[in-house]
mmCIF file of all heavy atoms in Angstrom:
data_model
loop_
_atom_site.group_PDB
_atom_site.id
_atom_site.type_symbol
_atom_site.label_atom_id
_atom_site.label_comp_id
_atom_site.label_asym_id
_atom_site.label_seq_id
_atom_site.Cartn_x
_atom_site.Cartn_y
_atom_site.Cartn_z
ATOM 1 N N GLU A 521 -16.225 -0.748 -2.927
ATOM 2 C CA GLU A 521 -16.897 -1.965 -3.439
ATOM 3 C C GLU A 521 -17.526 -1.436 -4.744
ATOM 4 O O GLU A 521 -17.362 -0.349 -5.109
ATOM 5 C CB GLU A 521 -17.931 -2.537 -2.496
ATOM 6 C CG GLU A 521 -18.862 -1.325 -1.854
ATOM 7 C CD GLU A 521 -19.922 -1.994 -0.910
ATOM 8 O OE1 GLU A 521 -20.128 -3.223 -0.916
ATOM 9 O OE2 GLU A 521 -20.518 -1.196 -0.219
ATOM 10 N N LYS A 522 -18.265 -2.379 -5.399
ATOM 11 C CA LYS A 522 -18.808 -2.032 -6.735
ATOM 12 C C LYS A 522 -19.750 -0.790 -6.674
ATOM 13 O O LYS A 522 -19.962 -0.135 -7.609
ATOM 14 C CB LYS A 522 -19.454 -3.292 -7.297
ATOM 15 C CG LYS A 522 -18.573 -4.323 -7.698
ATOM 16 C CD LYS A 522 -18.863 -4.931 -9.166
ATOM 17 C CE LYS A 522 -17.678 -5.689 -9.750
ATOM 18 N NZ LYS A 522 -17.375 -6.937 -8.912
ATOM 19 N N LYS A 523 -20.362 -0.687 -5.402
ATOM 20 C CA LYS A 523 -21.435 0.322 -5.349
ATOM 21 C C LYS A 523 -20.841 1.747 -5.021
ATOM 22 O O LYS A 523 -21.504 2.741 -5.090
ATOM 23 C CB LYS A 523 -22.419 0.035 -4.189
ATOM 24 C CG LYS A 523 -23.391 -1.043 -4.617
ATOM 25 C CD LYS A 523 -24.435 -1.214 -3.513
ATOM 26 C CE LYS A 523 -23.774 -1.931 -2.304
ATOM 27 N NZ LYS A 523 -24.648 -2.106 -1.184
ATOM 28 N N GLY A 524 -19.469 1.691 -4.825
ATOM 29 C CA GLY A 524 -18.852 2.999 -4.521
ATOM 30 C C GLY A 524 -17.696 2.936 -3.640
ATOM 31 O O GLY A 524 -17.321 1.919 -3.086
ATOM 32 N N THR A 525 -17.133 4.158 -3.432
ATOM 33 C CA THR A 525 -15.854 4.172 -2.592
ATOM 34 C C THR A 525 -15.946 5.299 -1.564
ATOM 35 O O THR A 525 -16.573 6.305 -1.800
ATOM 36 C CB THR A 525 -14.702 4.585 -3.602
ATOM 37 O OG1 THR A 525 -14.698 3.638 -4.717
ATOM 38 C CG2 THR A 525 -13.360 4.481 -2.939
ATOM 39 N N THR A 526 -15.383 5.019 -0.445
ATOM 40 C CA THR A 526 -15.169 6.027 0.630
ATOM 41 C C THR A 526 -13.791 6.191 1.008
ATOM 42 O O THR A 526 -13.088 5.265 1.321
ATOM 43 C CB THR A 526 -16.033 5.610 1.913
ATOM 44 O OG1 THR A 526 -17.446 5.428 1.451
ATOM 45 C CG2 THR A 526 -16.064 6.710 2.904
ATOM 46 N N PHE A 527 -13.300 7.407 1.021
ATOM 47 C CA PHE A 527 -12.059 7.789 1.528
ATOM 48 C C PHE A 527 -12.215 8.510 2.775
ATOM 49 O O PHE A 527 -13.062 9.468 2.885
ATOM 50 C CB PHE A 527 -11.323 8.754 0.495
ATOM 51 C CG PHE A 527 -10.810 8.136 -0.741
ATOM 52 C CD1 PHE A 527 -11.578 7.795 -1.879
ATOM 53 C CD2 PHE A 527 -9.444 7.665 -0.685
ATOM 54 C CE1 PHE A 527 -11.041 7.149 -2.919
ATOM 55 C CE2 PHE A 527 -8.874 7.084 -1.819
ATOM 56 C CZ PHE A 527 -9.685 6.682 -2.915
ATOM 57 N N GLU A 528 -11.553 8.086 3.800
ATOM 58 C CA GLU A 528 -11.618 8.785 5.059
ATOM 59 C C GLU A 528 -10.225 9.279 5.447
ATOM 60 O O GLU A 528 -9.302 8.603 5.448
ATOM 61 C CB GLU A 528 -12.035 7.731 6.195
ATOM 62 C CG GLU A 528 -13.441 7.328 6.141
ATOM 63 C CD GLU A 528 -13.815 6.362 7.278
ATOM 64 O OE1 GLU A 528 -12.927 5.576 7.596
ATOM 65 O OE2 GLU A 528 -14.914 6.452 7.856
ATOM 66 N N LEU A 529 -10.180 10.579 5.720
ATOM 67 C CA LEU A 529 -8.907 11.195 6.167
ATOM 68 C C LEU A 529 -9.013 11.437 7.700
ATOM 69 O O LEU A 529 -9.885 12.049 8.176
ATOM 70 C CB LEU A 529 -8.737 12.578 5.471
ATOM 71 C CG LEU A 529 -8.843 12.640 3.928
ATOM 72 C CD1 LEU A 529 -8.454 13.977 3.410
ATOM 73 C CD2 LEU A 529 -8.084 11.564 3.334
ATOM 74 N N TYR A 530 -8.113 10.865 8.385
ATOM 75 C CA TYR A 530 -8.025 11.010 9.914
ATOM 76 C C TYR A 530 -6.952 12.150 10.216
ATOM 77 O O TYR A 530 -5.820 11.853 9.845
ATOM 78 C CB TYR A 530 -7.675 9.697 10.497
ATOM 79 C CG TYR A 530 -8.836 8.710 10.561
ATOM 80 C CD1 TYR A 530 -9.301 8.040 9.463
ATOM 81 C CD2 TYR A 530 -9.415 8.456 11.801
ATOM 82 C CE1 TYR A 530 -10.420 7.271 9.565
ATOM 83 C CE2 TYR A 530 -10.511 7.512 11.878
ATOM 84 C CZ TYR A 530 -11.025 7.012 10.786
ATOM 85 O OH TYR A 530 -12.091 6.100 10.887
ATOM 86 N N PHE A 531 -7.384 13.083 10.933
ATOM 87 C CA PHE A 531 -6.347 14.095 11.414
ATOM 88 C C PHE A 531 -6.463 14.057 12.874
ATOM 89 O O PHE A 531 -7.428 14.033 13.548
ATOM 90 C CB PHE A 531 -6.787 15.544 10.995
ATOM 91 C CG PHE A 531 -6.919 15.657 9.468
ATOM 92 C CD1 PHE A 531 -8.173 15.445 8.979
ATOM 93 C CD2 PHE A 531 -5.902 16.145 8.741
ATOM 94 C CE1 PHE A 531 -8.372 15.622 7.533
ATOM 95 C CE2 PHE A 531 -6.057 16.265 7.380
ATOM 96 C CZ PHE A 531 -7.264 16.001 6.830
ATOM 97 N N PRO A 532 -5.195 14.282 13.471
ATOM 98 C CA PRO A 532 -5.227 14.470 14.971
ATOM 99 C C PRO A 532 -5.939 15.749 15.198
ATOM 100 O O PRO A 532 -5.736 16.755 14.557
ATOM 101 C CB PRO A 532 -3.668 14.664 15.304
ATOM 102 C CG PRO A 532 -2.952 14.019 14.117
ATOM 103 C CD PRO A 532 -3.815 14.240 12.966
#
Side-chain angles (χ1 to χ4, degrees):
E521 49 176 346
K522 289 224 167 63
K523 283 184 292 177
T525 307
T526 303
F527 282 83
E528 286 181 323
L529 309 187
Y530 282 71
F531 302 91

